[in-house]
């Protein structure tokens, strides 16, 4: 007898680049030096304060994870973070601690979505959004934003995507992979559309909140539209901010009834992260802002280097990022110029084979003809990586 997975699992597509990732591993095992521009993590390690808190918790031999919601100390720290940094008030019952922000998104969609619901996903997007929606039985509705709007979803584009089946809208701010940051005026314009659709829930994915370099201070949707408070969920985490990639701790805050349902789903699957990780998360949420400034200065320096290097290559158009860890260069003219390269997948494959550089094709983010490049790399690796990119794509470093 052939065992078939459930149809909702079959509808969720595998990652768009498994062959590239597998080939990169194969090349690395054979001795090739591979520089990975494809990821979302950071080379920066957690500050000593966070590591010390984890060691203290480990020495205390904790034996609880806080069930499906998270330990009270971490919930309290998250509530304090929202009040201090975002001028938002949540109660502990409105917070759930998860195994990273991705897990929070998964639990939210499993809790909220029914078969044939629709999820509005602006492109470019983090590749997991459409697949998490499909895994919950819903249909992603992709809104292709435009370079002339700096890849921001406009109110008209949002209105055109909303319909009677719409259940969820994803707003990633700052955006992975475009680096776009929505300002208060842009959020207000989107909110005016959303208030006309009272059955629609909004999830604000703000994992890059502290890597915001736009001219105006970061604002979340609820800062400009508090009337959406009862149908907005904010998802965040510590991975991007403090280099806690392998710690896997995230959180979501929103309406008490929905968060309570998410807690039940989590309690039946994994429970909250372990107590050692949660103790480190409490320390991270309370870490001095001066430490954050130092880390962001390093990211800004790396952003400037990669943006300048890409801008110098003939055939590449790239907008400066306003936040996050990524740039999204348009490589259509490079593809047209290179023999035996038909699309962004072919270009990424050539970069890997000829230059030992792993990138993410823009098609995986809903943007054919682009590449996603992460710049949260060690300075020396970033410089060498851009030299290799130019050697294949063409440029002054070639």
């Amino acid at each position: 007898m052939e065992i078939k997975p459930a149809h909702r699992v079959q509808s969720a597509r595998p990652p768009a680049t498994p062959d590239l990732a597998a080939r990169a591993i194969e090349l690395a095992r054979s001795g090739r030096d591979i520089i990975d521009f494809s990821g979302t993590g950071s080379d920066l390690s957690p500050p000593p304060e966070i590591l010390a808190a984890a060691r203290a918790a480990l020495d205390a031999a904790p034996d609880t994870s806080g069930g499906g919601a998270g330990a009270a100390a971490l919930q309290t720290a998250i509530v304090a973070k929202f009040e201090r940094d975002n001028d938002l008030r949540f109660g502990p019952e409105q917070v759930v601690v998860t195994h990273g922000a991705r897990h929070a998104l998964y639990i939210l969609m499993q809790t909220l979505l029914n078969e044939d619901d629709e999820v509005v996903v602006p492109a470019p997007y983090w590749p997991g959004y459409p697949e998490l929606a499909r895994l919950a039985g819903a249909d992603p509705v992709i809104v292709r934003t435009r370079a002339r709007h700096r890849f921001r979803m406009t109110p008209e584009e949002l209105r055109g995507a909303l319909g009677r089946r719409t259940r969820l809208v994803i707003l990633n701010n700052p955006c992975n992979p475009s680096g776009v940051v929505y300002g208060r005026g842009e959020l207000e314009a989107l909110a005016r559309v959303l208030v006309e659709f009272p059955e629609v829930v909004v999830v604000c994915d703000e994992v890059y909140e502290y890597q915001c370099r736009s001219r105006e201070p970061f604002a979340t949707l609820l800062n400009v539209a508090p009337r959406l408070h009862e149908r907005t969920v904010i998802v965040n985490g510590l991975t991007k901010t403090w280099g806690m990639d392998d710690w896997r701790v995230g959180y979501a805050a929103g309406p008490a009834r929905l968060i309570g349902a998410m807690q039940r789903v989590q309690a039946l699957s994994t429970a909250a992260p372990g107590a050692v990780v949660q103790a480190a998360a409490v320390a991270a949420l309370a870490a001095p802002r001066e430490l954050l400034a130092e880390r962001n200065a390093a990211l800004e320096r790396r952003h400037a280097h990669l943006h300048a290097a890409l801008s110098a290559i003939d055939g590449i158009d790239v907008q400066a990022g306003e936040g996050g860890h990524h740039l999204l260069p348009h490589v259509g003219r490079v593809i047209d110029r290179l023999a035996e390269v038909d699309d962004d997948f072919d270009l990424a494959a050539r970069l890997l084979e000829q230059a030992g550089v792993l990138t993410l094709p823009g098609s995986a983010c809903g943007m054919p003809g682009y590449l996603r490049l992460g710049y949260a790399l060690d300075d020396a690796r970033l410089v060498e990586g851009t030299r290799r990119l130019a050697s294949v794509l063409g440029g002054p470093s070639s």
Side-chain angles (χ1 to χ4, degrees), residues 16-97:
T17 57
D19 294 340
L20 281 174
R23 179 58 177 160
I25 294 171
E26 181 182 350
L27 289 171
R29 287 174 176 169
S30 71
R32 284 283 300 276
D33 177 41
I34 304 299
I35 298 179
D36 188 358
F37 280 91
S38 71
T40 62
S42 169
D43 74 299
L44 300 172
S45 299
E49 293 87 341
I50 296 174
L51 299 177
R55 292 190 186 99
L58 187 61
D59 290 341
D63 59 1
T64 178
S65 66
L74 181 50
Q75 287 183 301
T76 300
I78 293 168
V79 168
K81 175 270 176 201
F82 278 115
E83 184 169 356
R84 178 190 68 234
D85 296 348
N86 306 110
D87 195 27
L88 296 176
R89 275 74 181 170
F90 291 102
E93 74 282 359
Q94 294 178 274
V95 171
V96 58
V97 180

Side-chain angles (χ1 to χ4, degrees), residues 65-363:
S65 66
L74 181 50
Q75 287 183 301
T76 300
I78 293 168
V79 168
K81 175 270 176 201
F82 278 115
E83 184 169 356
R84 178 190 68 234
D85 296 348
N86 306 110
D87 195 27
L88 296 176
R89 275 74 181 170
F90 291 102
E93 74 282 359
Q94 294 178 274
V95 171
V96 58
V97 180
T98 61
H99 293 266
R102 180 186 316 203
H103 190 217
L105 292 165
Y106 170 80
I107 293 172
L108 170 64
M109 293 195 199
Q110 292 294 323
T111 302
L112 179 69
L113 299 175
N114 291 308
E115 297 283 337
D116 298 325
D117 283 344
E118 290 183 344
V119 179
V120 173
V121 183
Y125 49 72
W126 171 64
Y129 292 140
E131 307 318 317
L132 289 174
R134 291 188 179 100
L135 193 58
D139 297 318
V141 176
I142 307 302
V143 178
R144 179 78 178 270
T145 63
R146 303 178 186 184
R148 69 171 182 266
H149 296 147
R150 295 191 60 81
F151 301 119
R152 290 174 172 86
M153 181 171 60
T154 67
E156 294 76 20
E157 289 168 340
L158 174 59
R159 186 184 300 277
L162 295 171
R164 62 179 182 81
R165 293 171 54 200
T166 307
R167 185 60 172 147
L168 185 66
V169 171
I170 295 174
L171 186 60
N172 181 203
N173 187 37
C175 176
N176 166 11
S178 69
V180 158
V181 177
Y182 287 83
R184 295 182 72 95
E186 292 150 344
L187 292 172
E188 288 171 350
L190 296 176
R192 285 193 290 271
V193 176
L194 290 167
V195 296
E196 300 175 22
F197 295 83
E199 300 302 315
V200 173
V201 176
V202 184
V203 57
C204 298
D205 182 347
E206 298 175 350
V207 295
Y208 293 100
E209 171 189 354
Y210 295 110
Q211 288 78 52
C212 176
R213 299 181 299 273
S214 58
R215 287 174 292 181
E216 61 178 287
F218 174 80
T220 188
L221 181 67
L222 293 181
N223 293 140
V224 302
R227 54 189 165 173
L228 296 176
H229 203 286
E230 291 306 312
R231 51 190 178 99
T232 297
V233 176
I234 298 177
V235 169
N236 211 322
L238 304 175
T239 297
K240 316 307 179 188
T241 305
W242 297 113
M244 300 172 70
D245 299 74
D246 295 328
W247 299 65
R248 309 312 308 162
V249 57
Y251 54 90
R257 185 175 180 183
L258 178 55
I259 294 297
M262 291 174 63
Q263 292 172 359
R264 292 195 298 275
V265 171
Q266 173 152 274
L268 288 168
S269 55
T270 63
V276 171
V277 171
Q278 292 197 49
V282 171
L285 288 165
R289 299 298 99 178
E290 294 77 15
L291 295 177
L292 191 58
E294 294 172 7
R295 302 169 76 84
N296 284 345
L299 288 173
E300 177 59 28
R301 181 178 66 249
R302 296 165 184 181
H303 165 269
H305 174 84
L306 181 58
H307 183 262
L310 293 172
S311 298
I313 297 175
D314 181 41
I316 286 186
D317 300 304
V318 58
Q319 297 181 3
E322 300 167 327
H325 294 175
H326 302 90
L327 288 176
L328 189 71
H330 182 255
V331 292
R333 288 187 290 154
V334 173
I335 292 170
D336 292 340
R337 171 161 46 85
L338 295 178
E340 299 181 4
V341 173
D342 294 328
D343 54 27
D344 49 351
F345 284 99
D346 286 346
L347 183 59
R350 177 172 290 197
L351 287 169
L352 179 58
E353 296 292 341
Q354 295 186 1
V357 172
L358 180 62
T359 61
L360 185 71
S363 294

